[in-house]
Amino acid sequence: MTDTLAPAGIDTSDSPHYLRALTDMADRRTVVADAAIYTDKGIKLVEKGARIDSRLYDRLVQHKLREPIDRHLSIENPVDVPALLAAGQAMSEQEVLPSLLAEALGSAARLLAPLRSLPLPPSMACKLTVMRDQRPGLFQHSLQMMAVAVFLGIKSGLAERDCAHLAAAALLHDLGVLHMDPAWDDPDHKVVGVQRKHLVAHPITAMLMIRDTQVYPRAVDVAVLEHHERMDGSGYPRGLAGADISVLGRILLLAEVVAAFYEKYDDMPAQRLSLVLRLNHRKFPSALVAHILPLLQEEVARESALMPLGNDASRQIDLLAEAFECWDQLKTALPPETSVKALPGSAFVFLDARLLALQKALLEAGSHPRQQGELMAQLQGDAIGMAEVALVGREALWQLQSIVNASYRRWPQLADRATPADAAVADWCDWAVRKL
């Protein structure tokens, strides 16, 4: 029977990037071949008992191996369950997000308990060791995502065995990234072409590697496959929606976003994440988000440095209202015969659609300027609430600026105002440049 979860064309053999990372790691810690390593044509490349190091890279990379190399290695000081428990304990003491989760559950011990029954075959331990040594940021992300996922699993009432499976899925979800060029993680590096294909395919690669161990239940590899899906169907790799995403997959997709925000932003991660979860509520499972939002509000309340943000709230609301009104007036003033709506791909259609989408998101979050008048009156004297309104306004104004930038980048001829529609877009962009 054909497995629809495993599309053709995905290569799970050891990539040059993974072999480079593994052999470079072996220069700093002892890695030995427990068994001879062969090519797929039966040629012996490495003798049993041989020491692995970077001098072997050129020989290994020239051949396709019969089996993944990490099935045949023993490693000094590998990532094992005790090492994961120690790393998790340190993380819960030093990092904001895991500390917050542990406090909400009563102790770090409860948060980390599922790790004690975590299956970790040698090939998976090897991959995590390479990740820890060569890609520490990725390893830290996997640990933090594991903490969020287990927290959500416990809060959702999952059995301890299921939480152990969830911990495995979270820890292993980004194994596919080890086979990608490390340059993708550079914020100044734009992922395009084949690299973009590899990025989109990495959940599939990880799923196949996990399944190949024949150690984990199917729910684990399915959840790993789904960790970039979204409840509204806008995710990848399969564009699943709602109930088509597995229970563990829904937990992973939210845990991925929560962990990423705390890693990306040193400045106001709780408020930023709260805003994104509410503005994009169709993308995330509401029952799980309900376990996260109260924690974020508690964290916001602790950060008194955020309070001055509220001073900008009124100005930001007024600017948003003006931006939407300005565009409505420019559209109304267009000649009746202008058939701009029949021109897909035009600057006018792009701008109109983006502004409508932003207004819809704000309305659904209760943050549209039309809704803010009464709210502002209620929040007088509430510094935290005013800071929240200001952050919503800041994010919405940033989106307006991105619309302006995209319009000028995609249609550089707008300044010529060759048509009434182009003139309307150019006038709105000029207004936004002056005001924002």
Side-chain angles (χ1 to χ4, degrees), residues 161-180:
R161 182 183 64 176
D162 292 329
C163 285
H165 296 158
L166 189 57
L171 285 168
L172 304 176
H173 78 284
D174 265 348
L175 291 185
V177 175
L178 291 175
H179 293 258
M180 294 169 52

Side-chain angles (χ1 to χ4, degrees), residues 271 304-318 376 379-391 393-394:
Q271 279 205 309
S304 59
L306 299 180
M307 299 309 103
L309 278 176
N311 297 334
D312 290 333
S314 296
R315 182 187 66 83
Q316 291 167 340
I317 291 170
D318 289 344
M376 291 289 286
L379 290 178
Q380 292 304 316
D382 181 354
I384 295 175
M386 291 294 287
E388 176 88 357
V389 172
L391 194 63
R394 177 187 292 185

Side-chain angles (χ1 to χ4, degrees), residues 239-428:
L240 301 181
D244 290 335
I245 305 172
S246 70
V247 172
L248 298 193
R250 289 177 226 170
I251 292 176
L252 282 199
L253 74 85
L254 179 58
E256 168 84 14
V257 172
V258 173
F261 261 77
Y262 273 83
E263 292 153 9
K264 183 177 181 180
Y265 297 109
D266 293 327
D267 175 32
M268 302 180 294
Q271 279 205 309
R272 292 178 187 272
L273 177 57
S274 175
L275 170 63
V276 165
L277 292 179
R278 288 180 293 106
L279 282 181
N280 299 278
H281 64 92
R282 296 181 186 276
K283 295 180 180 292
F284 306 109
S286 58
L288 297 176
V289 171
H291 296 306
I292 295 294
L293 288 179
L295 298 183
L296 302 180
Q297 294 305 313
E298 291 176 16
E299 182 66 11
V300 168
R302 296 172 183 171
E303 301 199 9
S304 59
L306 299 180
M307 299 309 103
L309 278 176
N311 297 334
D312 290 333
S314 296
R315 182 187 66 83
Q316 291 167 340
I317 291 170
D318 289 344
L319 265 177
L320 283 170
E322 286 182 48
F324 299 140
E325 177 62 24
C326 176
W327 180 238
D328 286 342
Q329 291 176 356
L330 288 167
K331 284 198 300 182
T332 302
L334 283 171
E337 66 274 10
T338 304
S339 57
V340 291
K341 292 187 179 180
L343 299 173
S346 69
F348 182 94
V349 169
F350 168 80
L351 180 62
D352 195 46
R354 288 287 298 272
L355 289 177
L356 285 173
L358 177 56
Q359 291 198 67
K360 181 179 179 181
L362 290 169
L363 282 166
E364 291 177 345
S367 302
H368 193 280
R370 294 200 299 268
Q371 301 166 312
Q372 294 286 31
E374 182 178 348
L375 178 61
M376 291 289 286
Q378 294 174 353
L379 290 178
Q380 292 304 316
D382 181 354
I384 295 175
M386 291 294 287
E388 176 88 357
V389 172
L391 194 63
V392 172
R394 177 187 292 185
E395 173 69 16
L397 292 175
W398 179 87
Q399 291 192 36
L400 287 182
Q401 185 63 61
S402 73
I403 293 171
V404 174
N405 295 341
S407 298
Y408 281 136
R409 183 178 67 252
R410 294 176 62 176
W411 295 278
Q413 74 280 9
L414 280 175
D416 298 337
R417 292 173 165 77
T419 67
D422 281 357
V425 174
D427 289 346
W428 185 87

Side-chain angles (χ1 to χ4, degrees), residues 21-211:
L22 189 153
T23 54
D24 283 353
M25 178 191 75
D27 284 342
R28 297 190 302 279
R29 67 175 69 248
T30 302
V31 179
V32 176
D34 284 340
I37 298 172
Y38 292 87
T39 72
D40 63 343
K41 300 184 184 303
I43 301 171
K44 185 188 291 184
L45 290 180
V46 180
E47 293 281 356
K48 178 180 178 179
R51 172 80 185 265
I52 306 296
D53 58 32
S54 60
R55 291 173 295 181
L56 279 174
Y57 172 76
D58 288 335
R59 188 190 311 174
L60 292 169
V61 81
Q62 291 175 21
H63 303 276
K64 184 172 183 178
L65 303 183
R66 177 184 292 174
E67 296 180 309
I69 190 173
D70 45 32
R71 289 187 184 180
H72 307 292
L73 304 178
S74 64
I75 305 175
E76 174 192 9
N77 187 27
V79 170
D80 53 16
V81 168
L84 287 170
L85 285 167
Q89 182 64 42
M91 181 181 65
S92 68
E93 295 170 357
Q94 299 166 9
E95 301 292 337
V96 172
L97 178 59
S99 176
L100 196 65
L101 300 171
E103 181 182 340
L105 291 179
S107 69
R110 188 179 180 201
L111 185 65
L112 300 174
L115 289 177
R116 298 186 183 278
S117 54
L118 176 76
L120 200 62
S123 61
M124 296 292 103
C126 179
K127 287 179 169 66
L128 287 176
T129 306
V130 172
M131 189 185 291
R132 180 188 66 186
D133 286 20
Q134 301 299 114
R135 306 286 293 277
L138 189 62
F139 183 68
Q140 186 71 9
H141 167 69
S142 298
L143 282 174
Q144 291 222 56
M145 182 167 162
M146 178 275 297
V148 181
V150 169
F151 170 83
L152 290 170
I154 292 172
K155 297 295 284 186
S156 299
L158 293 187
E160 185 168 329
R161 182 183 64 176
D162 292 329
C163 285
H165 296 158
L166 189 57
L171 285 168
L172 304 176
H173 78 284
D174 265 348
L175 291 185
V177 175
L178 291 175
H179 293 258
M180 294 169 52
D181 187 338
W184 81 273
D185 204 22
D186 181 348
D188 296 325
H189 176 75
K190 188 174 182 180
V191 180
V192 295
V194 174
Q195 290 184 344
R196 180 69 189 172
K197 179 182 177 181
H198 289 166
L199 180 62
V200 172
H202 82 267
I204 306 172
T205 306
M207 178 269 289
L208 292 173
M209 288 190 290
I210 293 166
R211 178 178 298 177

